[in-house]
Amino acid sequence: MSDAIRPIGMPKWGLAMTEGKVNAWLVEEGAEIAQGDEILEIETSKITNVFESPVAGRLRRRVAAEGETLPVGALLGVVADGGVDEAAIDAFVAQYRQHAAEAGAAAAAPEPVLLPAEGWTVRALRLGPEAAGESGTGPATPVLMIHGFGGDLLNWQLNQPALAADRAVVAIDLPGHGGASKVLPGGGDIAALAGAVRGAMAALAIERAHLVGHSLGGAIALQLACDAPEAVASVTLVCSAGLGPEINTDYIEGFIAADRRREMKATVTALFADPSLISRDMVDDLLKYKRLDGVLPALRAIADAAFAGGRQAAMFTDRLAALPVPVQAIWGEADRIIPAAHATAIADARRHVLPDAGHMVHMERPEEVNRLIAAFVTAADG
Amino acid sequence: MAKKSFRQAINEALTQEMRRDPRVVLMGEDVAGGLGSPGEDDAWGGPMGVTKGLMPEFGRERVLDTPITESGFIGAAIGAAATGLRPVADLMFVDFMGVCFDQIFNQAAKFRYMFGGKAVTPVVIRTMFGAGFRAASQHSQCLYPLFTHIPGLKVVIPSSAYDAKGLMIQAIRDDDPVIFFEHKMLYDDMDEVPDEPYAIPFGEANLTREGDDVTVVALGRMVKLANEAADALRRDGVACTVIDPRTTSPMDTDSILESVGETGRLVVVDEAHPRCGMAADVAALVAQEAFRALKAPVRMVTPPHVPVPFSPALEDAYLPTAARIVEAVRGVMA
């Protein structure tokens, strides 16, 4: 028996999250929980998600009430063995609250930066250690995260912080996306976009990186690995383009056409296995992005070049075998944009098709996706 | 993202559009200031400093200080629009609009129609409105219902800095005459505003809160009060959808009807006078199109049908408040 009392705090899912609402407890007080058990459903202004327990033991106290909105780090519950008495838990809760009140607002969150790359301006967010670790060993190879069509670097908000525990993780906006410039240097095809990402890597002083690409970003990562294998340590494809001809062009065209809340909400429903995850803020943010000058021509050019005639123009299946870079694929089984069957291009051991998730598998199943990426890049580092 | 004030947001929209399109010109009383007199140039930038800095960048050819004759320079702006420029005229207080009704109602609003669709009038008339400024009855009115009443005009009423920038850019790019209402109590309100230019389409409401119990429709500064009321009510378990139509002509009636279809209850908050105002207009829309969805009579939260008082105590009592909105919501829930 241990007399350790462990807190469960409000998680921080991404930069923008300052508070979360406890929608529901998924376990009863007194239940034995294992690390990774789904214990809470938490709603943020961006997304609703289940929270997996970071600790194991008996859930002694549900401190947060259902429906309560609490800041990041606030005490949600307390885990301790059955031998710990109630008074000790009361004292722990009181002490934690006092400490949290004294700590006040968290340190300023890192902000994305704008950097001139060749022919465009990239917006990038860097998290994690900058340089050599305390052990004196060289810095771990950084991870570079590349979003999909119509996305931006915040698509990785549930992934980037978790992966940045022991290495630098940089998420970028592609040309025409997010806060990057809305010009496409060299055009909208996969090869040109991969060239732009190379330019961004140079601007970020990244010589070699593990690439994590979602959808369109996955095809760009494969192109980059083919063009410059020396710059790529591994490739993680998330619901990726480039592995088969099919793509849901109704979605692509719907996303380009939608200029109103109702249309946009209906369009992005196809991204998730569980459409209830789509919040008003998510739809508003997409509309705000699409209203920026230059976005529509950029999206049009990419769709015309990369998905001409409703088919994916760039295919990498024939080149995978010769690729000197390890590649894994993660897919949502219920992906309605690019069929999960495309994952079969990747060997069984490196293919992970997750149930109950759609095209935004990294938002719907972040904990599993993060574990898969972390294990893969660590193994690839050797 | 950078936080900017409502004032900065409009200034940025004007600056970016003037850089993009040489046909965009500004005109109005002291939009720069200092013309023809010794002393400081660009002394004012309009009465609230919204256009400060534009004359030094674009010169007096494009930032025109006019005489104090609204009838003259509004007419000039409309004529310039009909002949190829894209003027943004600053009419200062909407209360002064009366002297140029013919130019606006009979000329600008009618050109497209009278000339068989062959003429466009891309003029924007910026104007300040609203009470709370201790400026008495001749400088505090809303008057947007008057302009909403006239087919051929577009009427825009931003409630936040983000909306102000995007709606101003849309107004300048629009080929029809646009009356752009700026609530004088919102100029210092801060919001996240992208540095890049963006246009918000007219006729698309913004939902600032979402809830299943009551639909609250509000405009301009009233959106802030409605949000305050909705937040207070939510703590008590009453969930409101707050709809800001953003433009009253065209108006996003679909969003209002859809929401009332879900909630069955409507409160309309309007700072304009209650007779023939936007509150009455929205209430009539719902009564006609969604009567069977209603679970309770529609409530309007407006000032009384009197001029805006100069006495601070009376002016405060005149204006709708978050507490009055809460009371109305509770009324339709009862």
Side-chain angles (χ1 to χ4, degrees), chain B residues 25-308:
Chain B
V25 299
L26 300 189
M27 52 204 297
E29 295 157 15
D30 282 333
V31 285
L35 180 66
S37 57
E40 199 187 342
D41 221 12
D42 196 35
W44 285 92
M48 304 300 281
V50 175
T51 47
K52 200 155 175 70
L54 292 170
M55 192 280 286
E57 178 169 350
F58 299 104
R60 291 219 174 258
E61 290 275 294
R62 293 180 68 193
V63 182
L64 298 135
D65 279 346
T66 65
I68 308 177
T69 50
E70 287 81 6
S71 52
F73 76 79
I74 291 295
I78 290 166
T83 51
L85 292 181
R86 304 186 85 86
V88 180
D90 179 353
L91 198 119
M92 209 178 279
F93 291 90
V94 72
D95 314 73
F96 308 162
M97 202 75 88
V99 294
C100 32
F101 273 1
D102 184 66
Q103 290 88 323
I104 298 169
F105 291 172
N106 284 330
Q107 308 307 323
K110 303 295 191 289
F111 283 162
R112 183 191 280 277
Y113 182 73
M114 296 299 285
F115 298 131
K118 291 179 179 166
V120 293
T121 313
V123 65
V124 180
I125 300 176
R126 290 181 47 227
T127 191
M128 265 193 290
F129 78 103
F133 204 61
R134 310 297 188 227
S137 61
Q138 294 152 321
H139 301 78
S140 299
Q141 297 168 90
C142 289
L143 300 191
Y144 45 77
L146 291 179
F147 298 87
T148 308
H149 184 70
I150 307 294
L153 298 178
K154 290 179 176 170
V155 181
V156 180
I157 311 169
S159 68
S160 70
Y162 173 83
D163 285 355
K165 178 173 171 181
L167 291 168
M168 176 55 81
I169 288 177
Q170 177 61 39
I172 293 171
R173 296 179 186 177
D174 201 285
D175 276 341
D176 290 314
V178 176
I179 319 292
F180 194 91
F181 281 82
E182 300 167 20
H183 198 294
K184 54 178 87 75
M185 303 299 285
L186 293 182
Y187 282 117
D188 293 318
D189 276 27
M190 306 293 282
D191 195 11
E192 288 189 346
V193 178
D195 294 334
E196 296 166 86
Y198 57 91
I200 299 175
F202 291 165
E204 187 194 353
N206 186 28
L207 272 58
T208 61
R209 296 290 184 277
E210 249 179 342
D212 299 333
D213 296 322
V214 180
T215 302
V216 180
V217 177
L219 285 161
R221 190 172 83 90
M222 297 298 107
V223 177
K224 279 175 73 173
L225 304 186
N227 288 340
E228 240 176 81
D231 292 343
L233 285 157
R234 183 170 280 276
R235 287 192 284 275
D236 297 342
V238 179
C240 299
T241 288
V242 177
I243 298 179
D244 171 10
R246 293 199 278 219
T247 59
T248 56
S249 188
M251 189 155 79
D252 183 358
T253 53
D254 288 352
S255 286
I256 296 170
L257 293 171
E258 185 186 24
S259 175
V260 172
E262 287 164 10
T263 62
R265 300 180 179 92
L266 175 68
V267 170
V268 198
V269 190
D270 189 5
E271 195 188 319
H273 301 302
R275 300 291 319 282
C276 298
M278 288 313 302
D281 188 73
V282 171
L285 166 83
V286 169
Q288 178 155 306
E289 303 292 335
F291 184 75
R292 282 177 182 80
L294 287 173
K295 298 169 187 163
V298 174
R299 292 233 181 165
M300 309 197 324
V301 180
T302 70
H305 202 65
V306 298
V308 182

Side-chain angles (χ1 to χ4, degrees), chain B residues 311-323:
Chain B
S311 148
L314 288 177
E315 187 180 19
D316 291 345
Y318 166 93
L319 279 168
T321 59

Side-chain angles (χ1 to χ4, degrees), chain A:
Chain A
M1 293 286 276
S2 158
D3 59 358
I5 304 176
R6 279 146 301 172
I8 296 172
M10 177 67 77
K12 183 168 176 64
W13 286 336
L15 294 173
M17 179 169 171
T18 55
E19 59 180 27
K21 181 181 164 200
V22 176
N23 270 359
W25 276 96
L26 305 176
V27 287
E28 295 301 322
E29 221 164 64
E32 288 291 338
I33 54 176
Q35 197 176 335
D37 279 0
E38 297 185 347
I39 56 170
L40 281 154
E41 186 184 287
I42 293 172
E43 179 182 341
T44 74
S45 61
K46 305 287 180 197
I47 195 167
T48 303
N49 225 314
V50 290
F51 177 45
E52 297 180 2
S53 179
V55 297
R58 178 174 296 181
L59 179 66
R60 293 291 300 276
R61 194 69 59 81
R62 301 198 323 193
V63 177
E66 292 183 352
E68 204 172 355
T69 298
L70 295 163
V72 167
L75 190 62
L76 302 176
V78 176
V79 166
D81 284 339
V84 177
D85 65 35
E86 289 291 323
I89 288 178
D90 288 340
F92 181 89
V93 170
Q95 193 189 358
Y96 188 103
R97 282 187 167 151
Q98 191 187 347
H99 181 74
E102 283 165 5
E111 291 275 339
V113 293
L114 293 171
L115 291 170
E118 250 173 81
W120 67 297
T121 302
V122 63
R123 187 177 69 150
L125 176 67
R126 180 191 283 268
L127 299 182
E130 280 291 323
E134 284 169 10
S135 61
T137 57
T141 309
V143 171
L144 184 72
M145 314 192 87
I146 310 166
H147 63 77
F149 181 83
D152 67 19
L153 57 83
L154 291 174
N155 289 168
W156 304 107
Q157 59 182 311
L158 304 183
N159 317 101
Q160 195 185 1
L163 296 169
D166 59 354
R167 65 177 75 227
V169 182
V170 181
I172 58 167
D173 286 336
L174 287 169
H177 288 78
S181 57
K182 304 303 180 287
V183 291
L184 304 176
D189 57 281
I190 302 290
L193 292 170
V197 173
R198 273 304 316 258
M201 286 174 73
L204 288 155
I206 297 173
E207 285 175 18
R208 190 162 178 268
H210 297 282
L211 303 182
V212 178
H214 173 239
S215 199
L216 175 77
I220 293 168
L222 285 171
Q223 180 78 52
L224 205 55
C226 292
D227 293 349
E230 72 286 354
V232 180
S234 75
V235 174
T236 295
L237 302 171
V238 182
C239 301
S240 183
L243 299 179
E246 295 86 7
I247 183 149
N248 180 345
T249 39
D250 286 350
Y251 172 77
I252 300 290
E253 292 304 322
F255 187 86
I256 294 173
D259 62 355
R260 274 151 208 273
R261 189 173 36 81
R262 206 175 296 108
E263 298 158 15
M264 182 56 86
K265 189 167 181 179
T267 301
V268 297
T269 297
L271 290 175
F272 294 88
D274 177 4
S276 70
L277 297 176
I278 299 164
S279 67
R280 179 170 51 86
D281 277 11
M282 190 189 290
V283 175
D284 276 355
D285 286 351
L286 287 170
L287 288 172
K288 284 180 177 178
Y289 155 66
K290 284 203 55 212
R291 289 178 191 134
L292 296 172
D293 276 8
V295 166
L296 284 179
L299 290 177
R300 185 74 265 159
I302 293 171
D304 288 347
F307 313 127
R311 314 286 280 179
Q312 296 192 38
M315 296 271 284
F316 297 89
T317 37
D318 298 344
R319 298 152 80 180
L320 286 170
L323 201 62
V325 173
V327 179
Q328 74 164 342
I330 303 170
W331 230 286
E333 194 175 26
D335 191 336
R336 286 186 271 161
I337 310 300
I338 301 176
H342 289 194
T344 50
I346 306 297
D348 288 4
R350 288 178 174 172
R351 181 173 75 227
H352 310 277
V353 179
L354 307 183
D356 305 322
H359 194 60
M360 302 304 278
V361 62
H362 49 309
M363 294 183 94
E364 287 191 276
R365 306 292 292 272
E367 312 268 350
E368 281 164 86
V369 170
N370 295 347
R371 272 195 289 275
L372 290 168
I373 297 172
F376 191 66
V377 299
T378 303
D381 276 346

